Amino acid sequence: MKFTQLLSESAGAMLANPLRTLLTMLGIIIGIASVVLMLAVGDGIKAFINKQLSVLGSNLVLVQADMRKSAGARLRTGTVQTLTLDDAEALNRLPSVVGAAPMLTTWSQISVGNDNSNTQVQGTTPASFKIRNLRMAKGSPITEVDVASAARVAVLGKKTAEQLFYKADPIGQTIRIDNQSFQVTGVLDNEGQSFDAGDIGEIVIVPISTARVTLVRTASPRSVQYIVVQARSAETLNDMVVDVKELLRDRHRMRAEDEDDFRVVNFGEFAKSGEAIATGLSVALGFVGAISLVVGGIGIMNIMLVSVTERTREIGIRMAIGARPADVLWQFLIEAVTICLVSGVIGVALSAGLAAAVTATGKFDMTVGFKAVAIATLFSCAVGVFFGFYPARRASKLQPVECLRYE
Amino acid sequence: MMPTDRSGSDALVRLTDVRKSYFSHRVETPVLHGIDLTMQRGDFLAIMGQSGSGKSTLMNILGCLDTPTSGSYVLAGQAVGQLSRAELAGLRNRTIGFVFQSFNLLKRMSILDNVALPLVYAGVARKRARERALLQLEKVGLADLAKRQPNQLSGGQQQRVAIARALVAEPPLILADEPTGNLDTRTSADIMAVFAQINQARGQSIILVTHEPDIAACAKRLVRLKDGLVLYDGPAREGLHQLQQDDATEQARRATRPAEATV
């Protein structure tokens, strides 16, 4: 018997009792939808993390100044600011480091005319723009000359610029930061959460030298709060962290038994814990999906057994006119698989709809990918074959004489 | 229809000492006690017998739907006893066309697809199978109804469809089990005319099981069964005449017995 013929007969059998078919399919629909959603959630979380990382700049670590602990005696926090501009320059020269940007940050009152806002001000170097992936919407970034001359210039975050200037062009305008005049040279294009300043659209960037002179009091003329360091790639990140620690311990003349007087914060670790959460969620949803598929499969087996009994006479007629046991087996098996496949398609459509609805809220991106559809198809086929085989085999084992006698 | 007989004695059906017993809880209930039956191609055979005579069992064995407990059955040169279930299905498909009392058309399937089904199981492509099915429907005069479902047809029409289905794969043997059992007298006559016509015009071999003498009268040859044995095997006309006499003596005996009792 030809496959197309089997398919059309399966369709006929399914449509003969639409309500029953639909109810039978429900378990598989829910199961497949769960499996597809599981994959979509997993992919969504990974995409979310990647997006966050691209806002942060990729392959970054943060080296924070910490207190010096020597010979068990602890000095008061902040008394000694252990990191310096020289540390940043030394880090910049490490072969495993792409760039290192020293940072001095503070919260300051920004005002233009009568408008004012309390905003984080970051004093840094041009290197910061490159390694943190900062793009300019307008104007130019902080330059080396600005840093060298402690120029009173500022680059505004996108939202800050809108708050202070509405639609007007801020370039060349003067703003006051803690009552001192700065000229705006540029506006950032970036948005989203950054690792050190909340929303990157709401910051103001000034040359680190200017920040030191006008805004931030530091213990020594060269100390910095933290240094952002970029590795060449995700693979070399951990090696770079080892290099960074070694270099800083060396520069800080620390003995083997001393604890580090700085802290390295690795964003790759954050990404990993995010992925662990994604995996956990996926496993939970996958579990729900698996249970639903098994329950749905048992439902299909049950209905197929009922169907075989109901159609005993039909089986007898078919056998009398030449259906071999294998033909009968295939007919019922294909019918079970068809039910599962149609359920799978509905399940995928359902989960795609749900994913689209979640995405439409704007909080979280979920996409049903090709992989999810392929896995759903495979799973629904497998359920059909697994749970359809026993009823189909039972049908094929029936004796034609007894079937024809069956009323 | 099949001129390729290797020898004149190559019978279409040859049953030799066929016995059949049913077993339930290890208790043997013999139904056929040794049937010998030979049928040449082109013959039209009626099998008669009262209920319990074993005619249904014989029919199932002849139709390869059941296998004998002992004895041999050779159908179209093929010894049936050694065949697997799949091979039996193939043999039924190629060699036998079934016509049942209750028509046994498949619901949910069009008339055309019902008729085409034996060809589909024979591996004929669907398009070709439908063409041949339509041709066969034309021969029984129902081509107009090809798209209908079986339940939209009258009993007589359904049985014609069943005959078309039985003939479509051009099997050497037609097995008709009480084909007029569910039909009124006039429709029965129509259906029997179809059988007689295909036997005469095409030399189609037919085995017909019935309990009605009028129906059996359409056949050339009659086999009467009683208690699992062949009671009569010969020309239909003489056989039916003998049957009539047997019935008459039976009735006479029944009529006289109460009279004796009253004396």
Side-chain angles (χ1 to χ4, degrees), chain B residues 71-84:
Chain B
S72 90
Y73 175 25
V74 179
L75 173 63
Q78 184 111 42
V80 173
Q82 279 85 37
L83 299 181
S84 69

Side-chain angles (χ1 to χ4, degrees), chain B residues 222-248:
Chain B
L222 179 71
V223 170
R224 279 177 68 202
L225 291 185
K226 192 174 183 187
D227 300 331
L229 286 166
V230 175
L231 187 69
Y232 172 89
D233 183 356
R237 192 179 296 245
E238 282 90 289
L240 287 167
H241 187 66
Q242 197 185 327
L243 176 70
Q244 213 173 2
Q245 286 179 329
D246 287 359
D247 284 353

Side-chain angles (χ1 to χ4, degrees), chain B residues 117-135:
Chain B
L117 201 57
L119 294 174
V120 170
Y121 281 123
V124 177
R126 190 138 78 134
K127 189 163 171 271
R128 180 88 189 97
R130 281 184 167 161
E131 285 166 9
R132 283 173 65 181
L134 192 65
L135 216 67

Side-chain angles (χ1 to χ4, degrees), chain A residues 319-359:
Chain A
M319 284 179 160
I321 63 178
R324 287 161 298 163
D327 290 322
V328 175
L329 182 107
W330 275 113
Q331 185 188 340
F332 282 92
L333 199 56
I334 295 280
E335 195 172 314
V337 172
T338 310
I339 289 176
C340 287
L341 263 180
V342 172
S343 311
V345 168
I346 296 174
V348 168
L350 200 69
S351 50
L354 268 171
V358 170
T359 306

Side-chain angles (χ1 to χ4, degrees), chain A residues 75-402:
Chain A
L75 297 167
R76 215 176 62 207
T77 310
T79 313
V80 180
Q81 288 181 337
T82 50
L83 290 176
T84 64
L85 290 174
D86 307 304
D87 286 334
E89 275 161 33
L91 288 175
N92 209 5
R93 284 194 295 272
L94 274 177
S96 54
V97 170
V98 175
M103 306 289 288
L104 278 175
T105 67
T106 184
W107 286 81
S108 298
Q109 193 75 21
I110 318 277
S111 56
V112 175
N114 291 328
D115 287 318
N116 70 84
S117 66
N118 201 332
T119 300
Q120 192 184 43
V121 178
Q122 296 194 335
T124 186
T125 61
S128 171
F129 285 82
K130 190 183 142 222
I131 64 179
R132 297 182 63 182
N133 227 355
L134 300 180
R135 297 174 307 273
M136 303 304 295
K138 277 180 198 158
S140 49
I142 305 292
T143 64
E144 293 292 353
V145 177
D146 295 333
V147 175
S149 61
R152 300 267 181 121
V153 292
V155 170
L156 304 182
K158 207 176 187 178
K159 288 181 190 164
T160 308
E162 279 168 20
Q163 270 169 19
L164 297 174
F165 293 99
Y166 303 106
K167 304 263 188 230
D169 187 2
I171 307 294
Q173 301 285 326
T174 301
I175 59 171
R176 296 183 77 80
I177 304 176
D178 281 357
N179 257 336
Q180 303 180 73
S181 300
F182 282 76
Q183 196 180 33
V184 177
T185 62
V187 177
L188 292 177
D189 192 30
N190 299 55
E191 276 177 299
Q193 292 294 305
S194 76
F195 52 85
D196 57 349
D199 192 331
I200 205 138
E202 294 179 354
I203 61 169
V204 173
I205 300 176
V206 299
I208 190 165
S209 49
T210 320
R212 190 189 310 284
V213 175
T214 56
L215 305 173
V216 189
R217 301 276 161 265
T218 55
S220 82
R222 296 193 69 76
S223 63
V224 300
Q225 289 164 343
Y226 58 95
I227 304 169
V228 183
V229 189
Q230 186 179 34
R232 294 207 177 278
S233 66
E235 288 72 39
T236 60
L237 189 77
N238 287 335
D239 290 344
M240 186 201 74
V241 169
V242 173
D243 290 351
V244 165
K245 284 186 173 172
E246 209 167 89
L247 177 85
L248 289 178
R249 287 181 69 89
D250 194 38
R251 284 181 57 82
H252 296 178
R253 294 164 214 280
M254 306 186 72
R255 287 165 303 187
E257 67 271 22
D258 290 343
E259 284 179 50
D260 291 344
D261 60 354
F262 54 88
R263 281 196 302 155
V264 177
V265 182
N266 185 346
F267 294 106
E269 301 291 329
F270 288 168
K272 267 185 204 153
S273 64
E275 267 168 34
I277 293 169
T279 309
L281 254 170
S282 290
V283 166
L285 269 167
F287 195 64
V288 171
I291 288 176
S292 190
L293 281 178
V294 169
V295 172
I298 292 168
I300 288 208
M301 194 194 248
N302 185 23
I303 285 299
M304 290 305 293
L305 284 172
V306 170
S307 175
V308 167
T309 308
E310 279 179 352
R311 287 152 72 185
T312 301
R313 197 172 176 86
E314 176 192 327
I315 294 165
I317 300 167
R318 285 175 182 276
M319 284 179 160
I321 63 178
R324 287 161 298 163
D327 290 322
V328 175
L329 182 107
W330 275 113
Q331 185 188 340
F332 282 92
L333 199 56
I334 295 280
E335 195 172 314
V337 172
T338 310
I339 289 176
C340 287
L341 263 180
V342 172
S343 311
V345 168
I346 296 174
V348 168
L350 200 69
S351 50
L354 268 171
V358 170
T359 306
T361 63
K363 297 251 192 293
F364 187 66
D365 277 358
M366 276 173 79
T367 44
V368 175
F370 173 76
K371 189 179 80 179
V373 174
I375 287 177
T377 312
L378 205 74
F379 262 54
S380 38
C381 277
V383 168
V385 170
F386 187 82
F387 290 100
F389 186 76
Y390 174 68
R393 189 169 165 74
R394 198 149 124 164
S396 75
K397 292 264 184 203
L398 291 173
Q399 294 295 327
V401 197
E402 280 151 32

Side-chain angles (χ1 to χ4, degrees), chain B residues 7-58:
Chain B
S7 71
S9 66
D10 189 10
L12 179 60
V13 170
R14 189 186 296 278
L15 293 179
T16 315
D17 194 28
V18 163
R19 291 164 190 272
K20 177 73 182 178
S21 299
Y22 291 109
F23 294 88
S24 94
H25 306 293
R26 296 196 179 172
V27 179
E28 185 178 356
T29 314
V31 179
L32 299 180
H33 296 272
I35 303 275
D36 292 286
L37 183 67
T38 306
M39 181 190 180
Q40 301 300 328
R41 288 173 194 270
D43 209 349
F44 188 170
L45 177 73
I47 298 177
M48 291 191 75
Q50 287 163 334
S51 56
S53 63
K55 66 179 192 301
S56 293
T57 304
L58 180 61

